[in-house]
């Protein structure tokens, strides 16, 4: 019998989404923590800390404690989970039961780090679920059925490509090319072409507003500001979506390659299922213009972006709270012994 709250956490490289059973998604904030170096005090978490990225005075550092989908700064991650749990938990004698999402390629050491961080942050019990499984559940696929479904979950740090059947992952690949690498590619492109340095937040705005990985008919442009590396002074540029296409071609190609590799490793029976059912894209990266079009063009399989793509993993994490026993049966969740 479980009396505490049930909470699902999509612990992403770019953002944290928290799902509370009975309420749905209650929090979506960037995975950024600002810490005062002198006192080691938590200065801000989430939205407030995000605004400080690249703008902090010397004693305050804004940290993104997850890199490429895994914990790179354990203490800060623990404090971040604690902050989010404190924000959503009712005062109760019983500790919450928490289910946390991890990328499909995560090692046992990394899994242990996530579980320990959750327990230290105040969870009574921590279960893990792999991202593609959560994404599939979140976008309404009945994963227990004996047919193949292909999910491409593009987050901030990792892109997980997986074929799921009978509640488990049949074949998968997790690559460290996702939203962050898109931002990096934009920063590099602008520096190389215009000799201008832009910040990561500007790069992200460009990705959202005019970014594309497939030719756009409307050719939107955007005005951006950065620092000229020649004069050291501010400079304003107008950048077009065609330039974004050029900037993002390399990371987009890596994702297409991962999809093709997983398809090559998939049993023929399941390939038939995927051909008729299509490939589903989830995660924030799926919202970059043309991601579905380029995968469809390269694989010949109908590809579509899930509704509310960014929330799919968190929704699936939350829904799986009802079926923890099923997940454990399929060994998709590793239980703390």
């Amino acid at each position: 019998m479980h009396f505490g709250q049930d909470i699902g956490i999509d612990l992403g490289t770019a953002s944290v989404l928290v799902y509370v059973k009975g309420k749905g998604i209650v929090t979506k904030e960037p995975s950024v923590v600002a810490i005062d170096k002198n006192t080691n005090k938590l200065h801000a978490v989430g939205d407030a800390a995000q605004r400080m990225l690249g703008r902090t005075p010397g004693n305050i550092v804004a940290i993104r404690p997850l890199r490429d989908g895994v914990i790179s700064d354990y203490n800060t991650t623990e404090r971040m989970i604690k902050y989010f749990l404190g924000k959503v938990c009712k005062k109760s004698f019983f500790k919450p039961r928490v289910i946390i999402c991890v990328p499909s390629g995560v090692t046992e050491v990394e899994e242990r780090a996530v579980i320990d961080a959750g327990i230290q942050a105040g969870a009574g019990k921590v279960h893990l679920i792999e991202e593609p499984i959560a994404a599939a559940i979140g976008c309404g696929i009945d994963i227990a059925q004996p047919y193949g479904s292909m999910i491409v979950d593009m987050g901030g740090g990792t892109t997980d490509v997986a074929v799921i059947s009978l509640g488990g992952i049949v074949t998968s690949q997790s690559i460290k090319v996702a939203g962050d690498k898109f931002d990096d590619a934009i920063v590099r492109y602008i520096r190389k072409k215009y000799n201008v340095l832009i910040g990561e937040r500007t790069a992200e705005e460009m990705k959202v507003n005019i970014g594309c990985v497939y030719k756009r008919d409307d050719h939107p442009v955007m005005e951006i500001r950065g620092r000229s590396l020649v004069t050291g002074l501010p400079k304003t540029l107008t950048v077009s979506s065609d330039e974004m296409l050029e900037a993002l071609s390399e990371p987009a190609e890596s994702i297409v390659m991962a999809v093709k590799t997983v398809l090559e490793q998939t049993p023929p029976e399941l390939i038939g299922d995927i051909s008729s059912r299509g490939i589903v894209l989830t995660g924030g990266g799926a919202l970059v213009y043309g991601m579905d079009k380029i995968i469809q063009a390269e694989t010949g399989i109908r590809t579509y972006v899930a509704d509310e793509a960014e929330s799919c993993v968190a929704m699936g994490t939350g829904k799986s709270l009802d079926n923890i026993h099923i997940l454990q049966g399929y060994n998709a969740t590793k239980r703390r012994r």
Side-chain angles (χ1 to χ4, degrees), residues 235-292:
K235 188 165 182 184
T236 303
L237 302 170
T238 302
V239 183
S240 71
S241 65
D242 292 349
E243 290 173 292
M244 289 291 94
L245 183 61
E246 212 179 311
L248 298 177
S249 62
E250 206 177 295
E253 189 53 41
S254 302
I255 290 169
V256 170
M257 283 303 298
V259 171
K260 286 181 171 174
T261 305
V262 171
L263 283 170
E264 281 163 17
Q265 297 165 351
T266 302
E269 292 290 339
L270 297 179
I271 283 282
D273 295 341
I274 293 162
S275 294
S276 59
R277 296 163 66 83
I279 297 171
V280 187
L281 305 186
T282 63
L287 303 177
V288 172
Y289 179 89
M291 207 66 232
D292 49 347

Side-chain angles (χ1 to χ4, degrees), residues 227-234:
R227 184 173 78 234
S228 164
L229 291 168
V230 180
T231 63
L233 297 171

Side-chain angles (χ1 to χ4, degrees), residues 283-319:
L287 303 177
V288 172
Y289 179 89
M291 207 66 232
D292 49 347
K293 294 183 175 67
I294 191 174
I295 291 174
Q296 183 161 319
E298 294 275 343
T299 60
I301 299 171
R302 187 172 61 90
T303 304
Y304 60 96
V305 179
D307 295 338
E308 296 187 41
E310 284 183 280
S311 311
C312 280
V313 170
M315 292 295 291
T317 308
K319 285 180 188 171

